[in-house]
Amino acid sequence: MWWYIGRRALQAIPVVLGATLLIYAMVFLQPGDPIKALFGEKPVNETIRASIAAQYNLDDPFLIQWLKYLGNALTGDFGLTYAQQPVSQVIGDAFPVTLKLAVMALIIESVLGVAAGFYAGLRKGKLFDSTMLIVSLLVIAVPIFVFGFLMQLIFGVKLGWAPITVGGDASIKNLMLPAIVLGLVSFAYILRLTRTSVVENLTADHVRTARAKGLSDRSVNSRHVLRNSMIPVVTYLGADLGTLMAGAIVTEGIFNVPGIGNLAFRAINRGEGSTVVSIVTLMVLIYVVMSLVVDLLYAWLDPRIRYA
Amino acid sequence: MIAAASLTLAACGGGSDSEGGGSGGTSDAVITSFSTQPQNPLIPTNTNEVGGGNIVDLIFAGLISYKTDGSSENEVADSITSDDNKLWTVKIKSGWKFSDGTDVTANSFVDAWNYGADAANEQLSAYFFYPIAGTDDEGTIPDGGKTISGLKVVDDSTFTIELKQSESDFPSRLGYSAFFPLPASAFDDMDAFGKKPIGNGPYDFASMTDNVEAVLTPSKTYEGVRPAKNGGVTLKFYENPDTAFSDVQAGNLDVLDQVPPSALTTYKDDSSIQAFSEPGSPNSTITIPESLPGFEKGEEGNLRRQAISKAINREEITDKIFDGSRIPSTDFSSPLMPGFTEDIEGQDVLDFDAAGAKDLWAQADAIKPFEGKFVVAYNADGPGNKEWVEALTNQLKNNLGINAEPKAFPTFAELRTEVTDRTIGTAFRTGWQPDYPSIYNYIAPIFGTGAGSNDGDYSNKDLDALLQQASGAQDDTERYKLYADAQAILFKDLPAIPLWNTSISAAAADGVKNVKFNWQNKPELQDITK
């Protein structure tokens, strides 16, 4: 298995390189000069513009810029923001907040999604199942920011149960509302996935065998139906952590969470290449690691799968 | 509900003698206000955007400061005098201290300005030093020099400023952040200073958490004209004004100076907040270059410009598209400027009159028929630009019967590149946010012959002469009269067509008192209590 993990880690290198190159190209192709934009509507001072541009290697051709970025990144120097702060420090401040938010969303959506999906699958065609179908379709159909503003208005402004914005205090209590909003869509998908998978497994051979052996309903459902239904759900969850972190941008905006999404948004607007690329690289790494974890989990869920 | 909202408006527009008790009331409550993450280190000469500006303006005090009505008064300066409006002598008051205990001296100012104008220091606000002798047109010291030759320290409390040309309202520039002083310790390590600045203003910089907030506490040493009447100001950074608006509604945020577009139609009737809507200083115009066929200098061009101005129904656009967040212009500046008057010759050219417009256009056609179309270029990345340019060209089409159409540039940078290269070949949208509260600043840099922001290459000797005269004028009444005369020339020639001013659309939480807005559309945070 260690051999397998090592091989996967090696595969990650070209993926990360390719991703940084792509993103760098996109930032580079953004029209307009980010340094000119720093001057706002006042006349641009050419001497100062040139000297700032040189500091950020902005006048180099883009391949050279990318190589310089990579070279520095290998030594742990991810460059400076236009506000002269190390990119590593800026990301270091924002990343834990987003990670916390995404993990909370992941826990909420997986616990609720699997439970509701499992129950709906067992009670196929009954009232609970139909209700959940409607709820999940609704959640998937309505854009996330609508829920964001709606929940903010209801629970924050009207009822006053939850703080409207998170700001500096990223505690679990403050992040609860944004985490629910962030996890809402995935909750619906997990619910659908679990339910379909459970329905399928209920009629599978091994479940019939288990029942024929005289096992109790409870034991059949939890050990044979649920566990085997988890494979597609785990696949989804693994990829979802990355999606949640990258997709937190809308939720973070609505609840003013000082996380990675807000940071990326601002950096893209300002054409701050080094920040954008560093954030994206981090996201790519998270995807790579999570997909490895998912593959390893398969082996645990389904003993027939072995990695040698 | 509507009545309640307008009462609030009246109280706040009317002056300071309402419930807060004017100057007397102080309280210990900390005021929270909307802001954004500063984009640059917090060095006054490097701060040119609102996020940093909000902090810097409160922790520093300049030679002069601006009153709420846009007029200025001496703050650190004891006097700023000149016989010829060209060589200015500045005397500073004794007793001013930075929050680290060191004295504010003539050198605190001169060294700070030299630092700002030194190109090697890459300061984004170097531009503001351009009127001073010894700087180039962009405000930096030429040939890698380290000191501005026009600045001379006489003694600890006196220094002189020599300008390139006489300018009577030069002192009113000096309240802008680029002209703030710096303590000697700043020059030892400017990077560290930019993270934790030490100022001489009404507040001390206590701390800042990136993307979260900046905490400012009342200064113990400050004895200027803007004393803190609250227990401190916390500027909370938001990415999204919609979120900030919800926070105001719930009472989590005291002041929001920009109501988001989504709430513009409703916020004045919202009983959970206090709403403010007042005229503001930035304006929007359409510049029609003289190089455009049919719009050349002369009678034909003037008739066509006037026809276009009269064919625009400004009221309709500000109501329908901007929900009242813009107010139709009545001159080339803003109602917030000292000396503003509605009594300028030829001002009626801004009144909507479709029949008159058509008539003027016909007169121009009688001189020489108009061929082709009238195109208005705009940058599509500015919110609302597309909508109003389309509405405006439609009005021109309907009211003048000409072929008018909008032309979109994806970004502001791309539009400006073609404008400054003079390759644009169409009319285009322009706007101006004043550097300091003076009508002069809305005219000279834009319409003076060869001026830095004269995008339409307008040139009129009479206007130049009036501006020159105004620069030499010694008293305000005379100066304001000359500004009005200068604007009368502009109303005749219409090098740019004034459209509207961006108004202040702000909200404050219930129970917050003494909310007033200055010429920069910013709340006077030091006066606010709750």
Side-chain angles (χ1 to χ4, degrees), chain B residues 297-461:
Chain B
K297 206 181 182 78
E299 201 191 342
E300 184 205 345
N302 283 358
L303 285 169
R304 288 200 199 284
R305 287 161 194 272
Q306 288 174 7
I308 284 177
S309 179
K310 278 175 166 293
I312 301 169
N313 187 344
R314 294 169 175 78
E315 202 98 6
E316 187 178 67
I317 296 179
T318 54
D319 278 359
K320 298 260 166 68
I321 292 177
F322 291 114
D323 295 316
S325 64
R326 306 284 188 281
I327 294 174
S329 289
T330 55
D331 76 339
F332 282 85
S333 70
S334 147
L336 292 191
M337 293 301 119
F340 170 81
T341 170
E342 298 215 349
D343 181 25
I344 301 173
E345 198 191 324
Q347 198 179 29
D348 55 344
V349 77
L350 300 182
D351 298 337
F352 174 56
D353 174 7
K358 208 159 189 171
D359 188 44
L360 287 166
W361 192 266
Q363 287 178 36
D365 274 347
I367 297 172
K368 199 167 119 241
F370 182 71
E371 282 159 15
K373 43 191 183 186
F374 183 72
V375 179
V376 180
Y378 68 96
N379 55 310
D381 59 350
N385 282 348
K386 177 174 186 284
E387 288 77 7
W388 74 253
V389 176
E390 277 175 1
L392 186 139
T393 46
N394 274 334
Q395 289 183 348
L396 294 180
K397 242 191 262 182
N398 296 336
N399 297 335
L400 292 177
I402 62 170
N403 191 356
E405 62 182 44
K407 179 180 178 188
F409 282 81
T411 62
F412 182 68
E414 284 165 78
L415 174 70
R416 292 305 302 176
T417 307
E418 293 222 358
V419 168
T420 42
D421 296 346
R422 304 290 191 256
T423 53
I424 188 148
T426 64
F428 49 91
R429 74 159 276 266
T430 36
W432 188 254
Q433 177 139 28
D435 301 333
Y436 58 102
S438 168
I439 295 173
Y440 184 83
N441 190 244
Y442 282 90
I443 304 175
I446 309 171
F447 303 117
T449 302
S453 302
N454 191 338
D455 296 330
D457 290 324
Y458 175 72
S459 170
N460 184 321
K461 291 208 170 56

Side-chain angles (χ1 to χ4, degrees), chain B residues 170-219:
Chain B
F170 175 74
S172 57
R173 289 179 184 266
L174 297 175
Y176 189 81
S177 54
F179 295 102
F180 288 156
L182 288 178
S185 60
F187 302 100
D188 299 337
D189 186 352
M190 203 52 95
D191 284 344
F193 185 83
K195 293 191 179 85
K196 198 169 186 335
I198 294 160
N200 60 335
Y203 291 90
D204 291 342
F205 180 87
S207 66
M208 181 164 102
T209 317
D210 281 321
N211 304 316
V212 178
E213 62 188 14
V215 179
L216 311 180
T217 50
S219 161

Side-chain angles (χ1 to χ4, degrees), chain A residues 38 42 51 85 165 254 266, chain B residues 122 210-211 239 247 435:
Chain A
L38 287 182
K42 299 295 174 220
S51 132
Q85 287 167 306
T165 52
I254 294 171
R266 212 172 26 242
Chain B
E122 299 173 353
D210 281 321
N211 304 316
E239 207 53 51
D247 258 351
D435 301 333

